[in-house]
Amino acid sequence: MTERRSHYASKTRRQRLVWPAEKEFTILSIDGGGIKGIFPAALLAQVEQQLLDGQSVATYFDLIAGTSTGGIIALGLANNLTATDMLSMYMERGQEIFPPEPDNWRGWFKNKKAAVFNNFLYRYNHDSLNTILNEVLGNRIMRESRNRLCIPSFEGKFSEVYIFKTPHHPDYRLDAPEKLTKVARATSAAPTFFRPLETGQFTFVDGGIWSNNPIMVGLVDVLACFDVAPERIRILSIGCGDSPYYVHDSNHIAGGKWQWR
């Protein structure tokens, strides 16, 4: 039987690695958000074009944490792609992953039918996503990444949080040989949108169900792995836009499942 991830958790406090006292530790954190990953990719691409002469923004960060679509961007940045490259992928290939509906009565009818079927079936086929990830990330593996990475997912066979990590600490050996395409699929398998990633050993679901904003994942990892003072840590966090939730009269007056759906 496959051992659960927590089986390998350290029983003692991790030995922190030396970090230069005068040097800041910089973290880039990118939220999940599906096709809205266009926003963080576009923002970072603008930084590259306006401030870095087209060079990759990844070279300015000591660790990148990314969830779901943010995880895909993080994996690309850490593996010799620029934010401009990632933006091009979203703009040119995004419709293959999330096919738009026709803007006519056929599209309206299809949307209504999809709304019914989505109660029982996944909305999108993951084949297009797999194809694009294979083209963009190839056969590269985690240990080949130029940046330290923390990529959240959720493992459903043992019901545990799961963070894919590069081997930036001697304790981190499990994920070193993992293919980037597997990590990308594991972090982005959003429930109701894509089928979970079955590896034969584990069942992975989108990391956004527990860490859509991975700031604390990155921060905790740095504090656990490196002898760096908290005030020397700098974090740039980029979201994918707000989806505000408001409590209306129907929620607190009636209060059933239908009102809180």
Side-chain angles (χ1 to χ4, degrees), residues 8-194:
Y8 299 97
S10 176
K11 303 299 189 294
T12 59
R13 185 170 182 175
R14 183 166 296 122
Q15 184 67 40
R16 294 195 295 170
L17 304 177
V18 175
W19 188 261
E22 72 285 354
K23 184 181 179 184
E24 293 182 339
F25 197 108
T26 54
I27 302 173
L28 173 61
S29 173
I30 310 175
D31 289 9
I35 193 61
K36 291 187 291 184
I38 287 174
F39 176 75
L43 190 153
L44 293 170
Q46 283 294 305
V47 171
E48 290 177 345
Q49 297 305 315
Q50 296 183 15
L51 302 176
L52 305 178
D53 294 325
Q55 298 301 308
S56 176
V57 71
T59 59
Y60 288 84
F61 294 98
D62 298 306
L63 181 143
I64 306 177
T67 301
S68 195
T69 195
I72 293 174
I73 295 172
L75 289 162
L77 291 177
N79 285 274
N80 303 315
L81 296 173
T82 64
T84 304
D85 294 329
M86 300 307 294
L87 177 61
S88 296
M89 181 195 77
Y90 278 91
M91 297 297 292
E92 297 171 9
R93 309 294 298 277
Q95 292 188 359
E96 297 176 37
I97 303 171
F98 303 103
E101 306 296 348
D103 187 19
N104 52 34
W105 69 270
R106 294 178 187 274
W108 179 88
F109 180 76
K110 190 173 182 180
N111 274 330
K112 294 299 181 182
K113 184 171 70 173
V116 174
F117 281 103
N118 286 347
N119 288 317
F120 309 97
L121 302 172
Y122 297 108
R123 184 168 183 177
Y124 299 112
N125 189 314
H126 59 253
D127 289 344
S128 294
L129 176 59
N130 288 342
T131 297
I132 294 171
L133 290 175
N134 282 322
E135 292 176 7
V136 172
L137 300 176
N139 291 316
R140 291 190 287 273
I141 58 177
M142 288 289 277
R143 72 162 62 94
E144 297 172 340
S145 299
R146 65 180 173 183
N147 292 82
R148 303 171 184 88
L149 290 173
C150 288
I151 310 294
S153 183
F154 180 81
E155 200 288 298
K157 189 164 290 187
F158 294 106
S159 186
E160 291 188 337
V161 299
Y162 200 110
I163 306 174
F164 290 92
K165 300 179 180 182
T166 48
H168 52 268
H169 189 279
D171 289 349
Y172 296 166
R173 299 183 299 271
L174 293 179
D175 302 325
E178 295 285 15
K179 292 184 66 174
L180 302 187
T181 50
K182 172 185 173 179
V183 178
R185 277 282 289 117
T187 192
S188 63
T192 76
F193 289 96
F194 294 108

Side-chain angles (χ1 to χ4, degrees), residues 122 126 185 189-192 194-199 203-206:
Y122 297 108
H126 59 253
R185 277 282 289 117
T192 76
F194 294 108
R195 183 182 300 277
L197 176 64
E198 295 277 359
T199 65
T203 301
F204 292 108
V205 178
D206 195 303

